[in-house]
Amino acid sequence: MDQDRHTIVRVIGVKKDFALGKQTVHVLKGVDLEVYAGEYISIMGPSGSGKSTLFNMIGGLDKPTDGKVFIDEVDISQLDAYELAWLRNRKIGYIFQTFNLIPVMTALENVTLPMTFAGMNGDDAMEKGIELLKLVGLGERFQHKPLELSGGQQQRVAIARSLANDPAIILADEPTGNLDLSTGEEIIELCRMLSEERGVTIISATHDYKMLNVSDRVVWIRDGMIDKIQHREDLDISVGGIGGPENGHVPGGEAP
Amino acid sequence: MSKNFSGTRSVPQGEAIQRAISLPWAKSVEISYKSLRVRLFRSMITVGSLVLAVSFLAFVLVNLDVASGILHHGGDNAAALLTLAGYDVDPATHGVAMTAKERWIVILSLLVCTVGIVNAQLMSVTERFSEIGVMKCLGALDSMILRIFLLEAAMQGLLGAGIGALAGFIFSLLAGLVRFGTLSVAYLPWGSVLASMGIAVLAGCGLSLLGVLYPALLAARMRPIKALRAEH
Ligand SMILES: Nc1ncnc2c1ncn2[C@@H]1O[C@H](COP(=O)(O)OP(=O)(O)OP(=O)(O)O)[C@@H](O)[C@H]1O
Ligand SMILES: [Mg+2]
């Protein structure tokens, strides 16, 4: 079934080195990945395995040392600053572990800022912003500043903001990392709803096993390389086999 | 130039990459103004140092205007009176100039003020690292970040320099009244007083912009990834 779907993200042989003093750390050691439009992908792996680094490459926030990233079949290393800004503005929505709302702006202003960059006029942006805040369940709180909101509420604003210009892709780096269990579940449910109802592609780096249940595929990363990629159907079996994700085991931790 | 996308089978994709990202001036001004208001204390310190430096400059310049007014209308003993009061009077051209010492103090005060502004603006940029990074993730261009910082500096500059010029003018008039009596106000060349205050305001705004240039460039050039990591 995969062959006739549109590949929205194509990662080819991506390597990333960081220079730490005289040493070079090889954080990504050649990652190949294809993500199809409308998919919900979770990138799982231990801390320090390179999830955020890969996430930054896909999002055009950092450049690979080697290899290429294609978004909608366009090599993003070939884009100039203006095109890259446009890509970040219109094609990709970012969600971060630390929410990263702009503290001096209200929830609504945070959500409408990308629309302003995109050239939408003030009234339309306002209307759409309120609509998006309602969608994420923050209908009445749009005049609040981020610090007046709880973590879960801030993350909802961030999700609304990521949707501002109807992006094709949402990149979420540990969106539930700073939230308690039930709030995290609500955020995951929201992501699932967006993926199903809006057809937006979601790529999420996470430690959170609750994410697995809503993912179409799970990409396991270890030491800067893809360990394995599992489809949800395969996951269900192994989750069932182990007895649910709650017991702390890695579902499907053994070789496929 | 735009790059086309292939494969438009499913889901709402297929829009070509464009390069139209904009931030209207009104919105830039609004963002700058809000940022200043949120960090009112910090901005007021910057404005305060501008007020001091500019008021001193305006004070010295208007003093000269007062003196030249007296020189031109005050009769023969005016030159002696002014020399006694410490002015550099040039008998040939009938002009009054700043003494060398005054000139140095003015330049020094402007320099100190600029250094203070650079320092305050650098702090403001560091504090806003992640904010700048987020804006870039949302599609802001370098030029927009630069513009926001320059606008903030221009607003601080106008406010500080405006207040400073006014204060310097008032002090200068008072000083003139004390030293030369009503003579000073009677012969005041209003045109050159206005020009002096204009120079002081311009100098203040110039300093404010000069002081923010390096911090603003630093902020604008910062890569979003760096800005986002800075928080952790
Ligand atoms: N800018 C950098 N300079 C040097 N080393 C870096 C840099 N960014 C990341 N690293 C290193 O790369 C490795 C992977 O980091 P990364 O943030 O991608 O891990 P992660 O999988 O996201 O971990 P976590 O789950 O804790 O967020 C780490 O060892 C980190 O120290
Ligand atoms: Mg990470």
Side-chain angles (χ1 to χ4, degrees):
Chain A
M1 83 180 206
D2 287 349
Q3 296 89 291
D4 53 55
R5 293 179 72 183
H6 173 55
T7 303
I8 190 145
V9 177
R10 193 190 297 276
V11 179
I12 300 176
V14 163
K15 296 182 183 162
K16 182 69 182 178
D17 303 337
F18 287 109
L20 277 182
K22 284 206 173 95
Q23 269 186 322
T24 310
V25 192
H26 305 285
V27 174
L28 293 180
K29 300 167 184 166
V31 173
D32 297 286
L33 181 65
E34 274 188 35
V35 180
Y36 307 107
E39 255 193 321
Y40 192 131
I41 294 255
S42 286
I43 300 176
M44 280 271 194
S47 190
S49 54
K51 300 185 297 292
S52 298
T53 310
L54 178 61
F55 170 96
N56 292 334
M57 304 291 147
I58 296 176
L61 301 178
D62 206 353
K63 290 203 159 70
T65 313
D66 194 20
K68 287 191 186 313
V69 175
F70 294 83
I71 304 281
D72 252 344
E73 308 298 358
V74 171
D75 180 357
I76 61 174
S77 66
Q78 301 296 319
L79 301 181
D80 66 21
Y82 296 93
E83 292 167 327
L84 210 52
W86 187 89
L87 184 90
R88 290 177 190 147
N89 183 246
R90 306 289 285 270
K91 275 269 171 205
I92 302 176
Y94 303 88
I95 303 172
F96 303 97
Q97 177 176 355
T98 45
F99 321 136
N100 289 61
L101 298 174
I102 296 178
V104 300
M105 295 186 181
T106 64
L108 184 59
E109 285 167 339
N110 265 287
V111 176
T112 55
L113 188 63
M115 304 182 204
T116 310
F117 289 158
M120 194 188 270
N121 82 50
D123 292 337
D124 291 351
M126 203 86 99
E127 202 172 302
K128 189 171 181 190
I130 291 175
E131 200 179 292
L132 285 173
L133 283 169
K134 279 189 185 139
L135 177 75
V136 299
L138 279 179
E140 330 78 52
R141 314 214 55 173
F142 48 81
Q143 290 304 352
H144 288 259
K145 295 260 169 71
L147 288 179
E148 299 158 5
L149 298 170
S150 73
Q153 287 169 334
Q154 287 185 50
Q155 197 59 301
R156 284 166 190 270
V157 177
I159 292 175
R161 181 181 65 184
S162 76
L163 292 169
N165 291 322
D166 302 311
I169 307 163
I170 288 187
L171 286 175
D173 192 0
E174 299 189 33
T176 60
N178 274 3
L179 301 174
D180 65 51
L181 229 82
S182 68
T183 318
E185 252 162 26
E186 285 166 27
I187 295 296
I188 291 172
E189 169 57 23
L190 188 56
C191 291
R192 189 200 57 79
M193 188 266 283
L194 293 174
S195 134
E196 266 173 26
E197 290 179 10
R198 301 193 143 224
V200 48
T201 311
I202 298 188
I203 303 174
S204 164
T206 186
H207 289 297
D208 196 337
Y209 290 116
K210 295 191 293 300
M211 272 283 191
L212 298 186
N213 301 326
V214 300
S215 313
D216 294 320
R217 284 193 296 162
V218 180
V219 177
W220 297 87
I221 290 209
R222 180 159 298 164
D223 288 333
M225 288 195 283
I226 292 187
D227 197 20
K228 60 177 180 272
I229 300 179
Q230 287 179 308
H231 287 265
R232 176 160 47 192
E233 307 85 66
D234 308 333
L235 265 174
D236 282 340
I237 298 163
S238 37
V239 169
I242 287 177
E246 270 77 27
N247 59 8
H249 282 289
V250 178
E254 65 284 327
Chain B
M1 73 175 248
S2 73
K3 297 178 173 69
N4 282 314
F5 289 93
S6 59
T8 45
R9 243 179 265 187
S10 58
V11 204
Q13 272 91 34
E15 205 179 353
I17 293 219
Q18 298 158 8
R19 40 195 308 164
I21 291 286
S22 67
L23 185 61
W25 277 96
K27 196 74 192 173
S28 320
V29 172
E30 190 191 320
I31 292 177
S32 303
Y33 175 70
K34 278 190 181 144
S35 301
L36 284 181
R37 251 195 22 202
V38 164
R39 280 168 271 262
L40 194 64
F41 186 67
R42 168 92 43 81
S43 346
M44 281 310 122
I45 291 179
T46 311
V47 171
S49 84
L50 267 170
V51 168
L52 288 178
V54 170
S55 68
F56 185 59
L57 177 64
F59 175 77
V60 171
L61 289 177
V62 175
N63 265 351
L64 289 181
D65 295 330
V66 169
S68 71
I70 293 172
L71 188 65
H72 284 274
H73 301 276
D76 291 337
N77 61 344
L81 188 70
L82 285 173
T83 314
L84 200 69
Y87 285 95
D88 249 2
V89 182
D90 187 344
T93 57
H94 271 272
V96 226
M98 270 189 234
T99 62
K101 194 168 127 199
E102 256 176 340
R103 207 171 298 139
W104 269 114
I105 297 178
V106 167
I107 291 175
L108 268 183
S109 78
L110 295 181
L111 253 177
V112 168
C113 171
T114 313
V115 171
I117 291 174
V118 174
N119 188 26
Q121 298 287 17
L122 273 178
M123 269 174 80
S124 156
V125 166
T126 324
E127 195 181 280
R128 287 154 77 177
F129 250 44
S130 80
E131 188 180 322
I132 297 163
V134 172
M135 280 187 144
K136 288 196 154 181
C137 284
L138 301 181
L141 297 166
D142 293 8
S143 57
M144 293 179 188
I145 309 285
L146 193 63
R147 190 200 294 169
I148 286 173
F149 274 90
L150 289 180
L151 275 173
E152 282 180 29
M155 287 183 215
Q156 288 174 315
L158 272 179
L159 183 68
I163 296 174
L166 216 61
F169 167 69
I170 291 169
F171 277 117
S172 170
L173 276 198
L174 290 179
L177 277 174
V178 170
R179 281 200 281 186
F180 310 112
T182 48
L183 204 63
S184 61
V185 188
Y187 300 129
L188 198 62
W190 285 101
S192 52
V193 167
L194 272 183
S196 295
M197 289 175 64
I199 290 173
V201 170
L202 277 183
C205 289
L207 288 190
S208 183
L209 289 174
L210 190 73
V212 85
L213 207 58
Y214 171 66
L217 277 175
L218 211 64
R221 292 228 191 102
M222 194 162 40
R223 305 217 338 270
I225 171 79
K226 195 149 190 184
L228 287 173
R229 283 182 68 91
E231 199 182 29
H232 307 292

